[in-house]
Structure formats: structure tokens, C-alpha cells
Amino acid sequence: MSEQDLLFETADRLFGDVATFDEVQAAQQRGWSEATWSAADELGLTRIGVSEAAGGMGGSIADVVALLMAAGYHAAPIPLAESTLLAGWLAQAPGIVLPEGPLSVIPNKANDTLRLENGTLHGSAHRVPWGRNVSLILGLVDGHIVGVNPHDARITEDVNVAGEPRDDLDFEGATPVFCVAATPAQTLERFALMGALSRSALMAGALLRVVDATAQYTQERKQFGKPVGSFQAVQIHLVRCAEQAALVDLAVQVAAREADRGPASFEIAAVKTLANDAARTASRAAHQAHGAMGMTQEYVLHQYSRRLWAWRGEYGDASWRSQLGRGVATLGPDHHFHVIADGSASGIAL
Amino acid sequence: MAIRLTPTELTDQERALQAEVRAFCDEFLPRGSFEPGLGMSSGPSKELSRELGKRGWLGMALPTRYGGSDRSTVDRLVVVEELLRRGAPLEQHWTADRQSGIVINRFGTEEQKQRFLPDIAAGELCFCIGMSEPDSGSDLASVKTRATPTDGGWLLNGTKIWTSNAHFADWMICLCRTADADTPHQGLSQLLVDMHADGISINPIPLLDGTADFSEVVFNDVFVADDLLLGEPGNGWQQVTSELSFERAGPERWITPIIIVENFLREYADHLSEAALDFLGHTIARWWGLRQISLAAARMIDEGKAPALQAAMGKDMGTEFEQEVIAELQQLVDIEPSLTSDSQFSRLLARAVLVAPSWAIRGGTNEILKGIIAKGLR
Ligand SMILES: Cc1cc2nc3c(=O)[nH]c(=O)nc-3n(C[C@H](O)[C@H](O)[C@H](O)COP(=O)(O)OP(=O)(O)OC[C@H]3O[C@@H](n4cnc5c(N)ncnc54)[C@H](O)[C@@H]3O)c2cc1C
């Protein structure tokens, strides 16, 4: 069993205990689940992928991806991707030590106007995950890694289609807690890749859950005197979910492995593309197999299908496809297959 | 429970093999020196098959004492994907290399192994698959072709249909009834049938693109000697299902349109629309993902596991994807593809339009595959 399998199992057990159906439901009202956060924090899971120098537990990208897959499998309603993979990536700039507690990051939406003026923050950052709940928000602004206290912003609360907090923050001269020059590797493009990898990992977990929920429901639900899962038309929906889940599950683990070795821009763009496809086809098939039961918040499916729809739109939807396409076209026909077989090592540039 | 795969990647040795195969293909099959085919239906070339045999790239998983090279499923994947993506004419050895040799090695007698395997590994023998019959397609266990005992062997009577490369094959592995039984899955056996034996007639069937890649094969009191029974009499169903699961894991289930997309890139490079870039990007992501599945399933086989469900998923997704690629490409270019066009892209696209439906049918239809996967999800 690999280290990642062990980590996945540990996190799976933990989230299975605390992030129950009712707890995830309640988090939709409260914004997040403090119980889930505390349980994960106690085991040190909330700082995996953050270097020890920055106050974290260390660990590879593959480790964090395994953790996020488990979080996705249980719809863990906490800013885990932000506190681990994304804050960890931003905190690579020298001299940063992260405080305790949940963290968030600025996702860099196209309409953001954030800028640094004489060391203070001005402008707005949109759709910051759990902006209202966290102790510190990190971002890459004007070539600097900044950490800022959300209390120093005007917060307009909003949620994504899954009901997870996505808040707009307006700054008028806030003084960052820290502000250090980014390393040359810390570009907005690379950050977007990390964001896409984090969402792909969560989506892979949610997809696996959609398969399990659909398999279980179609065996339990009876019509015409037998389980609906015995109808071939329904089996086709179930299989479609399983195929999409298997594809994204495998692809995200490959992408994580490559991301520990280099930028892995091809693999990450590809896996987010596959996850976005799966969000559409697997959710549709799962809902069809569930009938009306899937359409109520009183049953579990929506906790996953809505997250898949939400995460599809976060950190790049169809834009990855055109970027990949441009890379393929630039590389040319003689190297087309090498991209498929060798990924980033083919030299494809995004 | 969801079905999962473990990520894997090529080892340094496998990469070295890949480099060797690429160099060989560049030299032996340079672009423009032959008309590329589509996947498994690319026509035969004894010359190519012999060259591959010489290099140890056929029957790779067979033991060295039978002319094989004791190599792995992943090694074979590395070799065949390089050939398939160039549209190389590999039909001479394809079936023998992919499944017949493996089945003979697994179930055959010592004498059968010595008789067939070295020639398979040398690219000298072409095999065909005698499973389907006019009244037995998906319900394969209902085959009616029958072998009745006779002095020193069997007399074979019946009709096989859709038999790929029957008209140039040397041997067929034929699934037939050798005994009456309570259930259709019992009483079946596999026979090695010499395609040049007396009493066999081979009637080519025109495929939609006008080629005759498959045939009807009629057996009329064909004598098959006792020593050509493969495996245990009555064990035919177990043997044939294990054979089908080897057949499903390979790259031929997702790779076919690559040569068309590469020709598209070649001919349309100067005016790629936004829609074209979106298509290219979406397609490369799906290809990369599907190849990861093929590779992971091959590695499972090498680790002694039986990835029957994973392979079925790979084939179902892969062949569905192949058809989507053709449909999306057609929409994109907005031309009338033609088999006689000056443009290789147009010729290949026309052929693909005509044969693409078969990709999701041969080797077990996608409906049958989904049934197998659904059972595995219970
Ligand atoms: C190009 C090509 C090459 C081939 N080469 C060979 C070869 O070399 N040797 C060989 O033996 N065969 C070969 N075949 C035959 C192939 O294996 C069969 O076509 C296949 O097994 C399906 O059988 P069928 O065509 O009789 O379809 P049928 O079984 O008649 O099916 C018709 C439709 O009904 C569906 N269906 C049938 N049963 C079920 C079920 N239980 N549940 C749900 N849906 C069902 C099928 O999915 C399909 O959509 C080839 C076929 C093609 C197209």
C-alpha cells in the first residue's frame, strides 16, 4: 500500500465519522463545519502539503491530492484545498510562517482589481472560498505573496451552487500581515494550475461517491417488483458514472505524481478537462438513475452533484481546452502522439 | 463499490523499447511510403510482420523457449501503439499476436506450443477468430457449429461469420459444440482449424467502405485431427472468455482516429479556428486519460491480476470516444470526405465515417460490456 493510499484511508475514516450527511447539511446553513475542521486539524491533516518551514507538516503534492480526494468523497465542508495545497504553494516564498486555523486563498477571478499601493492592499477579490470563516487569506498580488486578515476587508457574502461560501472582499488600504516578493516560479499561471489540480482531486473523490451512492440506491429502490438497477437502461447510467469516476480518479493521481516533478501543466489541464466533462455526464446519469429522490436536499446525491457542478466552474472550465489545443497546434502533427504518451515531457507548452 | 485503477508509468527499459520502436517505424514505415489504414483493419504485410518478428516484437509475452521473448503486456502495448498510430499494415500478425498465441500458450499441449508459437512469434502465421455465427452474436454460447468425433479426430460442420482476415489466415481458433449439455456454456470446445483444409469455403463479405475485411466461413465435414483440440474438451467457454478479456485491454480501442487528427493538423495548420483549438484540446485530454487506463490495465495483467472490468470500461469508453472524435472532426471541417480524394485526410475521414460504427461492436458490443461492468459494480 502506498503512502497516498494510507493517507486516503485515514482521511476517509475521519471524514466518514464527522462529515456525516447531517453535518454537511448543517454546514450549508452555518457556512462550514467546525467539527470537521477540528477533527482534521487534530490529526495534522489541515497542514499537509505546507512545508515545515512555513509551519506545516510537509508532504508531497501526491499526498495532498490523496487527502483532497477523501475530502471530496465526503463533501467535507471546510477550506481544506485552500489551507493545504494552495496556501502551501503560496507559502513557498521565503520567510512566510502560516498561522493556525483555516486559511483561504484569492482565486484570481478575471474581474479582480486587487493591487498593492505603498505596501497596502486596494481593490476587490472575488469568490474567495470561506472568506468569512478563515483566519488569514493568502494571495499572489503584483508579484508579491500577501497574507491579509479578512477582518480588514469589506465582505460581501455569497455561495457557489453547492452552497459553499464564496465571498467577495473589498480592500481600501488594508495592511497585510505579510508581504514578500514571490519566487520566479510563483506566477499566476502556475497558481491557476494548482487551483485546477485541487478541484480535480476534490472532484475525483466526489465522483467516486456518486458511483457508490448510485450503485446502492439502484439496488435498494424497487419498481415493478424488482430493483431498478436490474433494468438495463438504468445500468447504463450507473456504468457511465463508474467509467467517468475511474478515468478522473486515475488521471488525477498521475497528474499529482507529475506535479511533484515539475509544473505538469499538461497533465493538470488535461485532468481538469476530464473532471469537467465528468461533472456533466456523471451527474446527469446519476440523477437520471435516482429519479425524483436525487432532486431533494433530503437525500445525499445533491451533496456531490452540486459540488461537481460548482467545482467545474472553479479554476477553469473550457478555457483549459483551448489552452491545450493551442499547445497541440504549436507542437505540430509530428509530436501529437508524444503528448498522449509522454505528457508534459513531450515539450507541449501551455 | 467503484472500480479503480492504480497509476503507473513506463520504466526506463520500456522507454528504451519505445525509442527503438519509434526509430524502426521512422525507418521502415516513413510517412508517404504507404497508405495508412485504420487501426486493426489496416491490411496485411508479411514483410512488416517478419521484420517485427525478427526484432522480438511479436508474441512478446510468450516464453523464449517457444520463440517468444518473455516480455510483458506493457512492452507489447508500447510496440503496438507505435504501429497503430501510424496506421501500419499489421493484420497479418494482429490476431495471432494479440490473443491466439496467448491462448495456445495458456491452454495448449506441449506439442501445440512447439508447433505454433515459434511461427507466431516470427510473424509467419496469420490467425483468425471463429466465434460469431449467423444466429450467435452477443449470445456466443449459443453457437451451433458442431464437431462430431470420428476416427482420429473430429468432423466439423457449421458456419462462422464476420470472421476478420479469414481470406488470408492460415489458422482459425474455432469455438464449436463438441457435446450436448444441460446449459449452453457446457459442451463447447476450441479447435485449431487449418484454413486450407478440404471442406472449408471462405466467402468474403463487403464492408461498408467497399473492402472485404471479413468473411463467412462454411465448414462442410472438415476433418480436424485429435491433436488440434485446444485445451480441455468442454472447457471452451472458460477459454473463450479469458481470451476476450485479453482482447479488450489494448490501445486499439482508443487510438484509431489519431492518424486522422494528425493529418488534420497537417492540412489545416494555417487556419485553425477557435473551435478547432477547443476540439484539439478536448481530444488530447481524453486521449491521454484513456491511455492511462490502457497502461494501468496492462500493468495489472503483468502483476498477475485480472482487470476484466477495467478493460471493459476502457474499451467501452475508448470506442465511444473514437466515434465522437470522428463526428466532431466532421462537423469542424465541413467538407465532403471522399475515399478517392487527393487529400489523405479526406480519404481517411471518409473511411472512418464508414467503419466507425464497427468499433463499438466487434469484440463484444458496448451494451454487452456495460452489462459486465454493471455486474461488477454490485
Ligand atoms: C468489423 C467487424 C469484425 C469482426 N470480426 C470478427 C471476427 O474476426 N470473429 C468473430 O467471431 N466475430 C467477429 N465480429 C463479430 C462481432 O464479434 C459481433 O458483431 C458481436 O459480438 C455482436 O454480435 P452481433 O453482430 O450478432 O449483434 P447482436 O448480438 O445481434 O446484437 C444486436 C444489438 O443488440 C444488442 N444486444 C444483444 N444482446 C444484448 C443483451 N443481452 N443486452 C443488451 N443488448 C444486447 C447488441 O448490443 C446490439 O446493439 C466482427 C464484427 C465486426 C463489426
Side-chain angles (χ1 to χ4, degrees):
Chain A
M1 197 183 249
S2 72
E3 233 168 274
Q4 286 80 36
D5 291 340
L6 269 171
L7 191 57
F8 180 88
E9 272 202 3
T10 307
D12 178 43
R13 224 173 301 123
L14 175 113
F15 292 132
D17 287 342
V18 292
T20 59
F21 173 79
D22 289 337
E23 182 64 18
V24 174
Q25 236 15 55
Q28 201 172 271
Q29 262 63 53
R30 295 198 300 261
W32 76 314
S33 162
E34 198 159 351
T36 306
W37 178 268
S38 312
D41 203 39
E42 226 164 83
L43 281 192
L45 297 180
T46 55
R47 284 295 183 277
I48 289 184
V50 177
S51 71
E52 285 168 29
M57 304 284 292
S60 65
I61 292 179
D63 293 339
V64 200
V65 160
L67 170 70
L68 294 180
M69 285 174 70
Y73 186 84
H74 294 281
I78 51 172
L80 192 61
E82 285 68 25
S83 301
T84 58
L85 183 62
L86 302 179
W89 187 85
L90 289 167
Q92 285 170 23
I96 296 179
V97 178
L98 297 174
E100 305 218 320
L103 308 170
S104 190
V105 299
I106 292 164
N108 295 311
K109 305 303 281 189
N111 57 347
D112 282 5
T113 55
L114 213 54
R115 61 198 183 278
L116 278 170
E117 282 175 22
N118 303 322
T120 63
L121 268 179
H122 295 263
S124 54
H126 295 91
R127 305 199 69 75
V128 178
W130 288 276
R132 72 192 80 155
N133 303 106
V134 298
S135 53
L136 187 78
I137 292 169
L138 286 88
L140 174 51
V141 185
D142 291 339
H144 288 74
I145 307 295
V146 295
V148 62
N149 191 321
H151 297 305
D152 294 335
R154 188 157 48 82
I155 300 185
T156 311
E157 296 191 353
D158 197 2
V159 292
N160 63 18
V161 293
E164 296 177 317
R166 296 294 186 261
D167 301 331
D168 290 349
L169 273 59
D170 287 299
F171 296 95
E172 289 170 27
T175 307
V177 179
F178 56 77
C179 176
V180 298
T183 69
Q186 286 180 307
T187 62
L188 286 175
E189 289 75 21
R190 294 263 182 102
F191 178 74
L193 287 167
M194 284 298 119
L197 182 61
S198 76
R199 290 308 181 263
S200 302
L202 291 168
M203 291 168 87
L207 285 161
L208 291 170
R209 184 59 171 268
V210 163
V211 177
D212 289 350
T214 306
Q216 190 182 344
Y217 185 79
T218 55
Q219 277 167 61
E220 285 168 7
R221 169 72 173 169
K222 291 204 173 85
Q223 286 293 286
F224 302 98
K226 49 185 175 181
V228 294
S230 60
F231 300 117
Q232 227 163 36
V234 176
Q235 288 176 3
I236 290 179
H237 298 314
L238 173 61
V239 169
R240 204 169 290 286
C241 293
E243 290 177 343
Q244 291 294 310
L247 181 65
V248 177
D249 171 22
L250 177 63
V252 78
Q253 294 181 64
V254 175
R257 180 189 72 206
E258 296 306 315
D260 275 318
R261 298 170 177 171
S265 50
F266 169 78
E267 286 81 2
I268 295 173
V271 73
K272 185 63 163 66
T273 298
L274 295 175
N276 292 343
D277 277 354
R280 176 171 56 87
T281 53
S283 299
R284 183 167 75 191
H287 273 284
Q288 192 66 26
H290 275 85
M293 186 57 88
M295 296 310 294
T296 169
Q297 294 213 0
E298 289 168 7
Y299 172 77
V300 70
L301 182 61
H302 82 98
Q303 293 185 342
Y304 300 93
S305 61
R306 285 169 65 207
R307 279 180 172 74
L308 286 170
W309 291 323
W311 295 335
R312 173 183 176 172
E314 296 181 355
Y315 292 107
D317 191 345
S319 52
W320 290 119
R321 286 157 56 157
S322 19
Q323 278 201 53
L324 286 166
R326 217 158 273 129
V328 166
T330 308
L331 206 58
D334 292 338
H335 301 281
H336 178 253
F337 182 74
H338 300 168
V339 182
I340 295 163
D342 308 335
S344 288
S346 65
I348 185 175
L350 254 58
Chain B
M1 279 298 280
I3 299 164
R4 304 188 65 185
L5 289 119
T6 305
T8 183
E9 61 187 319
L10 297 187
T11 61
D12 287 344
Q13 276 163 337
E14 288 157 357
R15 278 190 198 288
L17 172 65
Q18 184 180 55
E20 256 183 88
V21 181
R22 284 179 183 174
F24 165 78
C25 290
D26 288 346
E27 192 194 330
F28 198 84
L29 297 162
R31 196 156 47 80
S33 69
F34 67 106
E35 178 73 3
L38 290 179
M40 298 170 274
S41 309
S42 51
S45 160
K46 266 207 162 155
E47 200 193 348
L48 173 63
S49 299
R50 283 182 180 139
E51 287 296 327
L52 296 172
K54 258 191 239 158
R55 287 166 175 75
W57 294 342
L58 295 182
M60 292 179 86
L62 301 175
T64 38
R65 65 181 182 281
Y66 302 124
S69 38
D70 255 332
R71 295 180 83 153
S72 64
T73 313
V74 172
D75 283 334
R76 177 174 181 271
L77 178 145
V78 163
V79 172
V80 299
E81 71 180 4
E82 289 298 328
L83 293 163
L84 283 165
R85 63 135 162 146
R86 290 170 162 89
L90 36 67
E91 256 188 284
Q92 154 76 14
H93 66 261
W94 180 256
T95 304
D97 174 56
R98 179 176 68 177
Q99 58 196 93
S100 315
I102 295 178
V103 176
I104 294 171
N105 184 49
R106 181 179 281 198
F107 300 109
T109 61
E110 181 58 32
E111 191 210 334
Q112 286 168 345
K113 291 183 200 182
Q114 286 180 12
R115 175 166 173 192
F116 292 105
L117 299 184
D119 283 346
I120 286 178
E124 295 293 341
L125 281 187
C126 177
F127 271 71
C128 62
I129 305 166
M131 296 188 191
S132 306
E133 296 183 5
D135 292 328
S136 304
S138 300
D139 183 11
L140 185 58
S142 70
V143 289
K144 293 195 191 74
T145 294
R146 178 176 283 272
T148 43
T150 185
D151 232 11
W154 306 84
L155 278 186
L156 190 61
N157 281 287
T159 303
K160 293 289 171 186
I161 198 168
W162 319 125
T163 315
S164 297
N165 49 39
H167 54 300
F168 54 83
D170 303 297
W171 290 88
M172 169 191 277
I173 296 185
C174 174
L175 181 70
C176 60
R177 192 153 287 290
T178 44
D180 289 316
D182 298 338
T183 77
H185 299 92
Q186 298 170 325
L188 296 173
S189 303
Q190 286 187 310
L191 291 183
L192 288 150
V193 180
D194 181 348
M195 291 298 281
H196 305 291
D198 288 341
I200 295 188
S201 36
I202 300 169
N203 309 310
I205 306 171
L207 198 63
L208 297 198
D209 66 353
T211 60
D213 204 50
F214 52 19
S215 301
E216 177 196 56
V217 180
V218 183
F219 307 105
N220 196 348
D221 278 340
V222 176
F223 176 75
V224 181
D226 266 333
D227 61 2
L228 289 171
L229 179 92
L230 182 59
E232 297 294 314
N235 195 39
W237 184 252
Q238 285 69 29
Q239 292 173 204
V240 101
T241 43
S242 85
E243 178 176 347
L244 283 170
S245 59
F246 301 128
E247 186 185 325
R248 283 176 187 142
E252 64 274 19
R253 305 306 183 178
W254 47 264
I255 211 167
T256 321
I258 280 185
I259 185 145
I260 313 181
V261 170
E262 288 178 13
N263 272 283
F264 168 73
L265 273 170
R266 226 160 247 130
E267 294 187 22
Y268 289 75
D270 298 335
H271 38 277
L272 290 171
S273 62
E274 276 302 314
L277 296 176
D278 180 83
F279 163 80
L280 289 169
H282 192 203
T283 308
I284 204 90
R286 291 177 288 174
W287 255 323
W288 172 78
L290 289 165
R291 182 185 186 265
Q292 296 299 332
I293 290 189
S294 246
L295 184 59
R299 190 72 80 198
M300 282 178 79
I301 293 175
D302 289 338
E303 288 166 353
K305 299 173 186 149
L309 299 174
Q310 288 82 352
M313 290 203 299
K315 176 171 188 263
D316 186 40
M317 274 191 277
T319 53
E320 218 164 86
F321 163 70
E322 287 185 325
Q323 299 192 39
E324 280 165 24
V325 171
I326 302 304
E328 291 168 14
L329 198 49
Q330 231 187 327
Q331 174 152 339
L332 200 58
V333 292
D334 201 352
I335 61 164
E336 279 184 63
S338 156
L339 289 172
T340 55
S341 169
D342 289 339
S343 144
Q344 186 172 83
F345 168 71
S346 174
R347 292 196 300 274
L348 285 168
L349 184 59
R351 196 169 298 287
V353 167
L354 291 166
V355 303
S358 72
W359 298 337
I361 295 170
R362 58 194 303 182
T365 69
N366 285 20
E367 288 74 22
I368 295 298
L369 296 176
K370 285 195 176 80
I372 293 170
I373 301 162
K375 263 202 204 94
L377 285 164
R378 275 195 209 132

